[in-house]
Structures are given as C-alpha cells and as structure tokens.
Amino acid sequence: MRNRSRAPLGFLILAGAILVSAPILLAAQQGRDTGASRPRPLPYETRDKTLGVVTCASSLCHGSMVEWKDAHILQNEYITWSRVDKHARATLVLLNAQSRKIAKNLGLSDPAEKSKICLDCHAHNPGSASMGTRAKLSDGVTCEACHGPAERWVASHAVPGATHAQNIAHGLYPTDQPIPRARLCMSCHFGNADRFVTHRLMGAGHPRLSFKLETFSQIGPSHFRVDADYEARKGKWNGAKVWAIGQALAVAETMKVLTDPNRGRDGLFPEFVLFDCYACHHPMSEKKWTSSGSFGGRSAPGLARLNDSNMLMLRAIMHVVDPPVAEEISARVVAVHRAIAGEGALATSAQALGAVAEQAAETIASHRFDDSALRGVALALVDEGLAGHYKDYAAAEQSVMAVGSVLNYMRSQGLLANVRSVNQGLARLRDPLSNDENYQPAEFQKRLQEFRTILEGLPASPQVSHD
Ligand code: HEC
Ligand code: HEC
Ligand code: HEC
Ligand code: HEC
C-alpha cells in the first residue's frame, strides 16, 4: 500500500463517495467541533527565532566527531543527524524527479522545494519572520524542528548545572514527554490541522504515510542513548507508549478532519484519504461487501467505509489499559460508521469518539505500558477476530498488519522468545488473505485460533520492562 502511487489502480466505484458526502455536508453546516484545551505549541508554532543548524554544529557543542566520554549527552548529534538521519535530507527529496512530478501534477506555481505545502513537513518552516539570518529551509528537518527554536534557550542550556526543566521553561520542546513527542512526530508523519497528506497529494504521486510502531519508537539512527544516566535525568524511555498514544491522537485527529468543513472536503467530495482505500480501489468484478464491519456493527452496501484501522488498534490497546473504555470506543465507532451511512448526526458522534480518544491518550500516558501490555495488545487483536469482528477482508487484513507490527516491534526489542514459531504463525495467518476474492472468514478464524495458541505459549520475556 505504501507505494500504491506507483502501481496501476483498479477500477473505481464512485457511488459510495457521492453518497457519503451528504452527512459531511451536513456536518459542515453544523459547524466545527470544539477541540480540547490547547496543548503546548509545536516547534513551528512558537514565535521564538530559529537560529539554524550551524548554531548547534560546533565541534564543542553537538558537532564532535566522536562521542564524549564524560558528558551526559553524546555531543556528536549533529554528525549522526547530518550523515545518517533521513530528516537531514528531507528537503533534498523535494528536488528529485518524484517531487517534480508531484508538484507538476498538483499544478503548484512554485517548484516543490519552494512550496509551503511541501516545506511544512520536509523542512522546519515556522514562517520567514521567525527564521534567523543563519537558518536555512534547505537544512531539512533540523534540530530546531524537533527541539524547538533556540533563541531563548541556546545560551542558557549549555551553562553548567542547567536543568532540563529550566531549558523547557526557556522554550526547549519537551521531546522526552510521551504526549508532546507523539504530537510532534505525528505533525509530519500523520498530519494535523496545518498539514496533511490528502488524497489529492497521493493522487499526484505522494507515498502514503505509514504509521508503523518502529517509526514512533525511536528515531533510528539514534543521536541519543537511553542509559542509566539518561533515565536518571529524564525518566524511562518508552517508544511503544508513544506509538500507543499516537494511535489515540490519530483517531481524534481523524474525527476532526472528518467534521471540519475546511479540511474534510476536497471540492464537492469528502476527503477520501479518511476512507478505506479498497472501498473504491478495486475491480467491479470483486463483490467485497459483507454486512458486518470490523467493529461488529452493520455496514451498508455501496458506501465508502471509513478507514478504522487506527480505531481497531486503539481499541486493542484500551482492552489492555482500561477495558470499559475499549467497549465505549466500539460503541462510538459503530455510531460514526452509522452516521456516515446516514443514520444519526455525524458531528455529534465524531465529536464523542474524538473526546474518548483524547482522554485515552492521557490514560495511556499514565499507564505502565510494558512488554506484557504489548503482548496483550496482540492478543486483543486476535480475540477481536475470534469474536467474529473481521468478517470483511479489509478488517482481517488490517488486523494482521497490526498484529505483525506489534510483534515485529517486540522482536526488534528482543522481547520475543520464539521468533520462528511467531513468524510461521503470522505466515499462516496471512495465507487466507492472499486472494481477497476468495476470502473465507471461517478459515481465517481457524488460523486465528492457532495463532492464539502460539502467542499464549510464548514464555514471559527475559527482558526488563520499560515504563
Ligand atoms: C503532512 C506532511 C507532509 C506533506 C504535506 C508532504 N510530505 Fe512528503 N513525506 C512526508 C513524510 C513523513 C514522508 C516519509 C514517508 C515515510 O517514510 O513513511 C514523505 C515522503 C515523501 C517522498 C518520498 C521520499 C523518499 O525518501 O522516498 C517524496 C518524493 C515527497 N514526500 C515529496 C513531497 C512533496 C513534493 C510535497 C509537497 C507537494 C510533500 N512531500 C508534502 C510528509 C509530508
Ligand atoms: C525528528 C526529531 C529530532 C531531530 C531532527 C533532532 N532530535 Fe534530538 N532528540 C529527539 C528526541 C525524540 C530525543 C529524545 C527525547 C529527549 O531526550 O528529549 C532527542 C534527544 C536529544 C538530545 C538529548 C540526549 C540526552 O541524553 O539527554 C540532544 C542533546 C539532542 N537530541 C540534540 C539534537 C541535535 C543537536 C540535533 C540536530 C543536529 C537533533 N537533536 C535533532 C528528536 C530529534
Ligand atoms: C517537520 C516534520 C517532521 C517531524 C517533526 C518529524 N519527522 Fe520524521 N520524517 C519527516 C520526513 C519529511 C521524512 C522523510 C524524509 C525522506 O524520505 O528523505 C521523515 C523520516 C523519518 C524516518 C525515516 C523513515 C524511513 O522510511 O526510513 C523516521 C524513522 C522518522 N522520520 C521518525 C520520526 C519521529 C520518531 C519523529 C518525532 C520524534 C519525527 N520523525 C518527527 C518529517 C518529520
Ligand atoms: C471514495 C473513493 C476513494 C477512496 C476511499 C480512495 N480513493 Fe484514491 N482515487 C479515487 C478517485 C476517484 C481517483 C481518481 C481516479 C482516476 O484518476 O482515474 C483516485 C486516484 C488515486 C490515485 C492516483 C491514481 C492514478 O492512477 O493516478 C492514488 C495513488 C490513490 N487514489 C490512492 C488512494 C489511497 C492510498 C487511498 C486510501 C488512503 C485512496 N486512494 C482512497 C477514489 C478513492
């Protein structure tokens, strides 16, 4: 799916798209939902001056060729970033043939590397008034894109004895805290009120953004080391928690886009990117529709189905973190699906789901989210299937991708004792999904049952849990 734009697409069924736009028009008339209280401004939102990456790069600061032995931090962060971190090359990407094609297809008046729509995610772009004289857009996603414009903290943060809390009070962005970090990564890797990879952008050739656990768990090749010293200064590192929070925020954001008259529509149509791609992108000969959706609610034939994969993940996470909330999410998602099909007010149900999701992010942030929680999420996803919630192909496919993503992360962290049996089990799970036209829910359920046995049989992981 990631490189969908390069593959020819199937025949499209458009009736669903037209029907689904009605409730969205209605939502537009009812006005936008009221969001939760304003979170801390993201780096591009503050009015502090951005000084530019040259300010950080001195060999006595973050540009040392080798790691410092007696410092809290590595001091070669700039070298790591500039040599191996894709963020340093994010603006360079805008000069390549693919970007030229995207810009041309969109009919942009400027080339991609000069267009705000691209620079907002492929650079640190707080607006020219906030850019210091040495800051350059072509530097890519710079230190200040994540750590915040340095005007007020650059001098004080290097003074011996400066604390992290003081730095944050001076405008350093709290990348160490799970909710702010999830919001930061998602501002470019999922999209937010100011920037979004819309269906139009994908139609023009932009890759679909992937939302993998690995992406959110670390910023590989890491320019920081989480060791005892790090944890003493900043607390435990937990990438999986950031990812879980990201799922909750993605659901909340999707609900906002769905009901925002300015963002949720593209001309006459709703923003297609919120809907299941395969609802439209499949041959007419495939009769894919089944009467029950992934949340056990009824689905309506001939309608584009909202892409509920993040909701599926969030529900599995909440099964582990706070089971009654998982039930509530189910009911809310079913209500949103119904409203899209024309039964009930979309603005109301979307706002309700968004509010539960925002609250869930807070709950996850204060939950001890360890590797047994991850295993619980995988099990919860399997159990949804055993309860008969994956009757349609798309839901089954999504669940397998989700389980795969959780287990793959656990493997990368050394938390899976028997990688081989898990891989074999995953392969057997994928097998009935190889041909969507012949999808047999009963066969899939049988394999889910087998897979559950494998998961249950795994010994408790040897590693210490990380909060
Ligand atoms: C909402 C943020 C966002 C916007 C807006 C955006 N991009 Fe991207 N783009 C990304 C992210 C994130 C990736 C990396 C995807 C991944 O690896 O998961 C990416 C990847 C790409 C790639 C593929 C890069 C590679 O290494 O293969 C190209 C080309 C690209 N973008 C061009 C553009 C152009 C041109 C525009 C403006 C028309 C644009 N992008 C707008 C976030 C965005
Ligand atoms: C894509 C976002 C991103 C970019 C770009 C980025 N960082 Fe970071 N950085 C992080 C995150 C996340 C952490 C870990 C959380 C924390 O400790 O605040 C971190 C941690 C750090 C730390 C603290 C390490 C510790 O042990 O306390 C330093 C120092 C640092 N980064 C410097 C830099 C410098 C210098 C650059 C540019 C050359 C840079 N970062 C670019 C996200 C980023
Ligand atoms: C200002 C926008 C922006 C922010 C903030 C941001 N990223 Fe990125 N990130 C990008 C873009 C654009 C790319 C793609 C660059 C390319 O393809 O060359 C990227 C690439 C990546 C990649 C490499 C993906 C691959 O396919 O190899 C990872 C991993 C990643 N980001 C993680 C993170 C994490 C974790 C955070 C939050 C701490 C974060 N990013 C914050 C814009 C951003
Ligand atoms: C409601 C229906 C609908 C949904 C849902 C939908 N699309 Fe589309 N898509 C369209 C239409 C209509 C076109 C334009 C068709 C054409 O140009 O032939 C299109 C075109 C595209 C194109 C350009 C194809 C080309 O040949 O140039 C890409 C890529 C694409 N969609 C990807 C996606 C992805 C990825 C998703 C899911 C995130 C998605 N679409 C969801 C209706 C939809």
Side-chain angles (χ1 to χ4, degrees):
M1 201 59 232
R2 215 179 139 228
N3 291 326
R4 183 100 202 150
S5 49
R6 287 179 205 133
L9 285 163
F11 195 86
L12 293 167
I13 297 176
L14 280 172
I18 292 162
L19 282 173
V20 90
S21 64
I24 289 187
L25 287 170
L26 197 73
Q29 286 152 12
Q30 288 164 349
R32 54 181 305 173
D33 58 342
T34 52
S37 61
R38 291 279 308 147
R40 185 178 170 112
L42 288 161
Y44 72 91
E45 292 174 316
T46 71
R47 295 278 65 88
D48 292 350
K49 273 242 170 359
T50 291
L51 305 183
V53 73
V54 288
T55 314
C56 325
S58 141
S59 61
L60 288 175
C61 301
H62 299 289
S64 169
M65 295 302 287
V66 292
E67 288 177 19
W68 280 36
K69 290 277 171 293
D70 300 315
H72 288 305
I73 61 166
L74 302 177
Q75 304 222 209
N76 63 349
E77 295 86 3
Y78 170 76
I79 305 295
T80 307
W81 172 84
S82 62
R83 291 198 179 155
V84 279
D85 192 327
K86 275 200 166 184
H87 290 117
R89 272 169 285 279
T91 320
L92 225 57
V93 160
L94 298 180
L95 297 166
N96 72 17
Q98 189 183 358
S99 288
R100 281 206 303 276
K101 194 186 104 200
I102 297 171
K104 181 165 166 279
N105 289 348
L106 287 173
L108 299 181
S109 49
D110 288 316
E113 75 276 14
K114 294 213 163 65
S115 298
K116 178 174 160 44
I117 185 178
C118 312
L119 289 166
D120 279 351
C121 292
H122 286 264
H124 172 55
N125 188 23
S128 54
S130 302
M131 290 290 266
T133 46
R134 301 211 294 166
K136 295 200 305 266
L137 279 172
S138 59
D139 284 340
V141 177
T142 56
C143 319
E144 288 167 289
C146 291
H147 294 292
E151 179 181 18
R152 287 189 298 123
W153 56 262
V154 72
S156 58
H157 87 294
V159 171
T163 66
H164 188 55
Q166 284 164 350
N167 297 335
I168 285 176
H170 291 144
L172 185 83
Y173 188 78
T175 39
D176 57 316
Q177 291 166 28
I179 291 186
R181 184 156 92 238
R183 272 193 207 283
L184 171 70
C185 309
M186 287 188 56
S187 68
C188 298
H189 286 273
F190 183 81
N192 68 9
D194 297 326
R195 61 284 271 276
F196 208 67
V197 172
T198 57
H199 186 260
R200 198 182 275 230
L201 249 130
M202 287 192 316
H206 197 282
R208 190 179 180 195
L209 299 185
S210 55
F211 199 65
K212 286 185 303 207
L213 211 163
E214 293 88 331
T215 314
F216 286 81
S217 304
Q218 61 187 83
I219 324 179
S222 185
H223 59 279
F224 51 91
R225 186 169 303 141
V226 180
D227 50 17
D229 171 65
Y230 180 98
E231 293 188 344
R233 288 179 292 121
K234 296 184 169 170
K236 297 238 181 217
W237 174 265
N238 191 334
K241 182 184 271 190
V242 174
W243 163 82
I245 291 167
Q247 297 292 332
L249 297 181
V251 172
E253 193 59 34
T254 302
M255 289 305 105
K256 285 189 191 143
V257 180
L258 189 63
T259 49
D260 183 332
N262 300 318
R263 289 202 289 152
R265 317 236 342 263
D266 187 8
L268 184 62
F269 293 103
E271 179 44 75
F272 288 174
V273 88
L274 301 178
F275 294 85
D276 176 15
C277 315
Y278 299 110
C280 302
H281 291 285
H282 70 85
M284 283 280 232
S285 63
E286 284 175 20
K287 301 283 185 277
K288 286 174 57 129
W289 182 74
T290 53
S291 61
S292 81
S294 49
F295 276 80
R298 223 158 33 80
S299 85
L303 284 183
R305 232 172 54 99
L306 188 70
N307 178 350
D308 55 18
S309 54
N310 297 122
M311 301 162 208
L312 211 61
M313 290 302 312
L314 180 60
R315 182 173 59 174
I317 292 162
M318 295 317 282
H319 260 305
V320 175
V321 173
D322 191 348
V325 175
E327 297 307 315
E328 192 182 350
I329 289 169
S330 290
R332 302 274 186 222
V333 174
V334 168
V336 169
H337 278 306
R338 282 223 186 93
I340 285 170
E343 300 169 34
L346 182 63
T348 318
S349 52
Q351 196 182 329
L353 175 59
V356 177
E358 295 265 5
Q359 186 55 50
E362 303 281 346
T363 312
I364 298 165
S366 56
H367 184 79
R368 191 170 169 278
F369 201 82
D370 56 13
D371 54 301
S372 77
L374 281 173
R375 186 196 304 234
V377 171
L379 272 173
L381 283 164
V382 169
D383 287 343
E384 298 288 353
L386 292 174
H389 292 169
Y390 301 149
K391 289 220 179 66
D392 68 354
Y393 177 80
E397 189 187 40
Q398 266 164 27
S399 71
V400 173
M401 288 195 305
V403 173
S405 160
V406 171
L407 291 171
N408 188 41
Y409 173 71
M410 291 180 70
R411 182 194 51 73
S412 73
Q413 302 298 299
L415 298 174
L416 275 190
N418 194 341
V419 177
R420 233 180 107 199
S421 71
V422 170
N423 276 342
Q424 282 166 352
L426 270 177
R428 279 189 54 76
L429 257 190
R430 278 192 202 106
D431 188 42
L433 300 176
S434 60
N435 185 342
D436 49 6
E437 284 185 72
N438 294 335
Y439 174 58
Q440 307 283 344
E443 178 60 27
F444 184 62
Q445 285 227 6
K446 212 178 98 204
R447 305 217 177 182
L448 277 173
Q449 190 63 62
E450 292 170 13
F451 192 67
R452 196 179 201 293
T453 314
I454 297 177
L455 282 186
E456 279 175 333
L458 288 175
S461 96
Q463 290 237 343
V464 282
S465 60
H466 41 169
D467 255 309

